Amino acid sequence: SVYSPVIAFLLRQENGPMVRYLQIFTEESTLEITPTHLILVRRENDVNPPNYIQAAKVKPGDSVFISDNDLAGKIEEVKVVG
């Protein structure tokens, strides 16, 4: 699993129901995030710049952008496989 720091809360439920998580499988790793989490995505066969969309709308064939979590801040575009 790859974890990233929280920079803001768009929705916070301290005493609410359990939150379900999605698993997005890429060629490199598995992302576990909430369905409403915003993630940078390039749609399959799209030549336009990537956009932030909700994780629930990511589909196999799309590409997501992940960080290797080191100090260099390298961001990699990886293909979603499932």
Side-chain angles (χ1 to χ4, degrees), residues 2-3 7-8 15-16 18 22 24 29 33 45-48 53-54 56-57 59-60 68 72 76 78:
V2 175
Y3 299 94
I7 51 176
N15 297 319
M18 293 286 292
L22 293 177
I24 297 176
S29 62
I33 55 180
N45 301 319
D46 193 351
V47 296
N48 296 313
I53 66 170
Q54 291 183 336
K57 297 179 181 178
K59 299 182 251 181
D68 60 7
E76 182 179 5
V78 294

Side-chain angles (χ1 to χ4, degrees), residues 42-79:
R42 184 186 317 274
R43 292 295 193 183
E44 185 174 25
N45 301 319
D46 193 351
V47 296
N48 296 313
N51 289 305
Y52 284 94
I53 66 170
Q54 291 183 336
K57 297 179 181 178
V58 175
K59 299 182 251 181
D62 291 344
S63 294
V64 296
F65 293 79
I66 61 172
S67 170
D68 60 7
N69 284 333
D70 70 5
L71 295 177
K74 178 182 157 194
I75 296 176
E76 182 179 5
E77 182 174 355
V78 294
K79 185 78 69 176

Side-chain angles (χ1 to χ4, degrees), residues 12-28:
R12 186 174 180 191
Q13 295 176 297
E14 288 186 25
N15 297 319
M18 293 286 292
V19 176
R20 76 178 177 94
Y21 287 85
L22 293 177
Q23 288 188 322
I24 297 176
F25 299 95
T26 73
E27 296 171 326
E28 301 291 323

